[in-house]
Amino acid sequence: PGTGAALWRQLGRVCCQLCPDTKPTIQDADLQRKRLVLVGMRAAGKSTLGRVAAARLGVQFVDLDEVLEQEVFGCKINAFVDKHGWAKFREAEARLLENVVVRGLFISDPRSGCVVATGGGVIETPSALRVLEAHMPVIWIDRHIDDIIRCLEGVGSYRPGLGKPAREIYAKRRPLYEQCSDFVFTMRCGDDNWPFLEKRFADLAAWADRSAAGCRGLEAANPVCVPIVAASLQAALDDVAEAAIEGAGLVELRVDKLTGGVEAVLEALPKLLRKTHSLGLPAVVTFRPTWEDPNAGYIGDETPRLQALRRAAELGAAFIDVERSAVQRWAGIGGLPKGSKARLIISSHNFTEVLDLNSLRALVAEMRGSDAKIAGAGPESVVKIAQMAQSSADAARMLTVLREQAGQPTVALAMGEAGVFTRILAPHFGATFSFGCLSGRASAPGQPDAIEMLEVYRLGAMSGHTKVFALLGDPVAGSGLPKVLNAGFAADAWNAVFVGMLVRGCPVEDFLEALPSGLIAGAAVLASHSAAALKAAAEHDAPSARRARADVLLPKPGGGYVARGLEDGMVGEVAEASAYYEFFKGSPVPSIVRHAMMQAAATQGRA
């Protein structure tokens, strides 16, 4: 092979031979998004993990280094570099990247997609970096540098030397990998469980492929909003990617949690919003001051804070959260920028109590009326109320607010352990979204894990037609019954949900009275409240009377509840869940449902 023009002529000839029906023109964005590109240091595992991802997706795997050696150079890379130098190699590598990713060359069927593994230094060529920045999806495989060094020591000479210490090269390339990637697959030092790593990576690749195909824009795929509360930009970017993998419908960027103040926020916003856009995740941007939330991260002047929120709207945020007490100042700096598609959220927080129902109604009316008018918000603006529940009856009032605001964009939830069920049931009443956190990273008291909301409670499929069944007791958090029974509902394709409802700080009857009428289609009662539930029931059957406890409450026509008792000898959550299912459904448990329950119980070590 020659150099310069001769090299490009050979590359062109090979392209025509391999793809005779494909013209070397730029293909449309939908086809380009079917090409999952992997970047990372040499020895990071791009070829190994890339083949696994391709097998998972059922597409071709393309290793750019192999194509260069076999189809372009006709020799090994080290031999080409020895003869022509690194500069010519980088030119050829960048041209090949563009031809594969943008033009679909060297792909057996450009319409079916592929996984592309790049060389470790491809990002050092400006033209190649521009291709990667414009492309989506790109996954950076970030293997720990100590493991890379150990691997390189045993590689041999089939690749040319790096020229400088690997640690120094990694430090130089790291910001470029960050700049061009949409997802990061991080491998900790000493990670050598490759079967586990391959499964994790295949899951990430599948999600990246779905995200690229979806391009959901500003429409959330489901109502679960995951708060991103990391203190550093890189950790926040990693958490956004994790939220996408877990299935979040949207994310809340709590930029007040970032260290460095307004300057750091302004620097981080473009990168954070680029990340959310590339993943198809609408973003709520919140810059919360401590005067609104004592756990918030911002202490400072209001004007720079609000101007940062305006900048977020300019950068494509889907929602901008402005506190009710700040709407006057927000209007004073111009409100939402002209031409912005962002929707305003007017929010109010009370970390002491839940107001009485009439006061809540008045608050919502003021926020949707005079406050929205001052802020210049249109009818699509969202009213958000979050208040701390001191009792379960307090929390229940928030669901009544949601029911009364049906058809109008609203988020209303009760914070604290007593209010968890309000977050899970919010979509039942048409809430704009609800909050669920990444494991251990809640932004407010009482946030359940997002993955639990989606996989156990199926919030993505919940609607006003979903039948609601409750688990009443104190505590309810440790019970495996919701997971087991909801698995049965899913297997039966029954539009129903079983939700733990903590009953604390009030009698059972007061809690049931505070819930929106007709909400509960049936309830299982734990031992902690079974005697009280029996007293609260209007009728009871023989087993409940004999045991002096209500194991099940079923709504009675005309109002009130009928107490039912389980038979003696129930052992294990599958047996209990089966009994509850029969009470709720009014029919025997199908074998497919029982099997699903047994599988769910086995995953949590309960049978």
Side-chain angles (χ1 to χ4, degrees):
T3 60
L7 177 62
W8 302 132
R9 283 197 298 273
Q10 178 166 338
L11 179 58
R13 285 197 299 273
V14 172
C15 291
C16 293
Q17 290 169 4
L18 294 183
C19 306
D21 297 326
T22 304
K23 296 181 180 180
T25 56
I26 295 175
Q27 295 186 331
D28 64 64
D30 286 341
L31 285 179
Q32 292 183 38
R33 281 193 291 269
K34 293 183 177 182
R35 293 150 201 166
L36 175 61
V37 180
L38 312 182
V39 299
M41 287 284 286
R42 183 191 300 179
K46 297 187 297 293
S47 295
T48 299
L49 296 175
R51 287 185 172 87
V52 170
R56 169 74 172 269
L57 298 174
V59 298
Q60 179 185 355
F61 175 67
V62 179
D63 188 317
L64 295 190
D65 284 350
E66 291 181 359
V67 175
L68 286 170
E69 289 181 340
Q70 297 170 14
E71 309 294 347
V72 180
F73 298 155
C75 64
K76 294 296 184 182
I77 289 175
N78 57 351
F80 182 88
V81 172
D82 288 344
K83 183 176 181 179
H84 302 294
W86 275 110
K88 289 298 180 183
F89 170 76
R90 291 299 182 208
E91 288 180 35
E93 180 183 49
R95 182 70 64 90
L96 178 62
L97 173 71
E98 182 178 6
N99 279 332
V100 171
V101 172
V102 178
R103 295 180 170 84
L105 303 181
F106 296 95
I107 304 173
S108 56
D109 181 2
R111 292 164 296 184
S112 64
C114 65
V115 175
V116 181
T118 63
V122 68
I123 39 80
E124 294 187 14
T125 306
S127 61
L129 185 62
R130 286 194 294 271
V131 170
L132 292 168
E133 284 185 299
H135 185 69
M136 188 270 179
V138 176
I139 299 179
W140 169 26
I141 301 177
D142 185 20
R143 189 179 187 186
H144 197 281
I145 187 59
D146 290 348
D147 292 331
I148 287 177
I149 292 172
R150 279 193 290 271
C151 185
L152 288 174
E153 290 172 348
V155 163
S157 60
Y158 78 95
R159 286 287 186 270
L162 293 171
K164 295 180 180 179
R167 201 177 300 278
E168 181 179 337
I169 292 174
Y170 175 77
K172 175 185 176 183
R173 291 178 179 174
R174 180 182 177 89
L176 300 177
Y177 291 136
E178 292 176 349
Q179 184 176 332
C180 71
S181 60
D182 304 299
F183 302 83
V184 182
F185 184 73
T186 303
M187 300 165 67
R188 297 184 297 272
C189 186
D191 267 350
D192 58 2
N193 184 351
W194 282 95
F196 175 72
L197 292 171
E198 289 171 0
K199 182 182 183 304
R200 280 183 53 219
F201 186 78
D203 290 342
L204 173 60
W207 170 256
D209 182 66
R210 291 195 301 272
S211 297
C215 293
R216 296 191 296 265
L218 298 181
E219 293 300 321
N222 63 64
V224 178
C225 179
V226 172
I228 305 300
V229 295
S232 72
L233 173 59
Q234 186 56 53
L237 292 169
D238 291 346
D239 284 354
V240 169
E242 184 178 344
I245 293 170
E246 291 198 355
L250 61 167
V251 293
E252 180 191 30
L253 301 176
R254 283 293 302 266
V255 294
D256 57 288
K257 298 292 187 177
L258 292 171
T259 56
V262 174
E263 295 78 10
V265 168
L266 291 172
E267 181 180 351
L269 277 171
K271 299 175 182 178
L272 286 168
L273 288 168
R274 178 181 182 270
K275 185 73 163 182
T276 62
H277 289 162
S278 71
L279 297 175
L281 285 175
V284 179
V285 177
T286 301
F287 199 171
R288 191 77 73 219
T290 54
W291 53 257
E292 176 76 5
D293 176 356
N295 297 312
Y298 182 72
I299 302 174
D301 294 337
E302 280 295 280
T303 299
R305 180 180 76 88
L306 296 175
Q307 287 174 337
L309 289 173
R310 292 191 87 237
R311 178 59 179 152
E314 293 171 346
L315 291 169
F319 297 91
I320 300 296
D321 186 310
V322 175
E323 301 75 21
R324 183 190 183 212
S325 299
V327 294
Q328 193 80 48
R329 295 189 188 93
W330 173 252
I333 67 165
L336 288 172
K338 186 176 181 181
S340 167
K341 295 181 180 179
R343 297 167 64 185
L344 188 66
I345 297 174
I346 301 176
S347 62
S348 172
H349 302 79
N350 185 327
F351 288 86
T352 303
E353 63 178 350
V354 174
L355 300 178
D356 64 76
L357 191 54
N358 286 333
S359 297
L360 285 171
R361 289 166 173 154
L363 175 61
V364 171
E366 290 176 13
M367 293 173 71
R368 207 175 294 284
S370 57
D371 291 344
K373 184 176 181 180
I374 292 171
E380 75 284 356
S381 63
V382 180
V383 166
K384 176 196 169 189
I385 298 176
Q387 300 189 347
M388 182 64 73
Q390 300 300 329
S391 75
S392 301
D394 291 344
R397 291 198 289 275
M398 282 297 182
L399 296 183
T400 298
V401 170
L402 277 177
R403 171 177 279 184
E404 293 177 351
Q405 293 297 308
Q408 301 186 80
T410 309
V411 175
L413 54 91
M415 294 183 286
E417 189 178 2
V420 171
F421 71 91
T422 67
R423 298 174 182 273
I424 295 172
L425 291 177
H428 179 79
F429 295 98
T432 306
F433 53 80
S434 187
F435 290 95
C437 65
L438 299 175
S439 181
R441 283 159 279 181
S443 65
Q447 280 179 2
D449 286 352
I451 197 165
E452 180 185 25
M453 297 173 81
L454 289 164
E455 293 187 357
V456 175
Y457 297 105
R458 296 181 292 158
L459 261 68
M462 188 180 292
S463 71
H465 300 292
T466 302
K467 285 185 173 294
V468 177
F469 298 97
L471 176 66
L472 306 179
D474 183 7
V476 295
S479 174
L481 282 169
K483 184 174 182 179
V484 174
L485 201 50
N486 282 315
F489 290 168
D492 200 21
W494 191 16
N495 186 11
V497 65
F498 185 65
V499 182
M501 295 186 179
L502 179 71
V503 182
R504 183 179 294 173
C506 61
V508 172
E509 56 267 32
D510 288 359
F511 173 62
L512 294 173
E513 182 68 26
L515 290 168
S517 61
L519 173 65
I520 301 298
V525 187
L526 294 178
S528 61
H529 285 68
S530 59
L534 180 63
K535 293 179 181 179
E539 296 179 10
H540 54 76
D541 64 1
S544 61
R546 183 179 69 253
R547 302 177 69 186
R549 54 182 286 177
D551 297 308
V552 175
L553 291 177
L554 298 175
K556 182 176 179 290
Y561 292 88
V562 177
R564 295 285 184 261
L566 298 179
E567 295 298 331
D568 294 331
M570 292 285 180
V571 178
E573 286 180 341
V574 173
E576 289 185 47
S578 298
Y580 293 138
Y581 176 95
E582 293 185 359
F583 274 120
F584 297 157
K585 193 74 180 285
S587 61
V589 180
S591 58
I592 190 173
V593 171
R594 190 179 300 277
H595 180 69
M597 289 180 178
M598 292 175 66
Q599 284 188 316
T603 61
Q604 55 191 5
R606 295 162 166 158

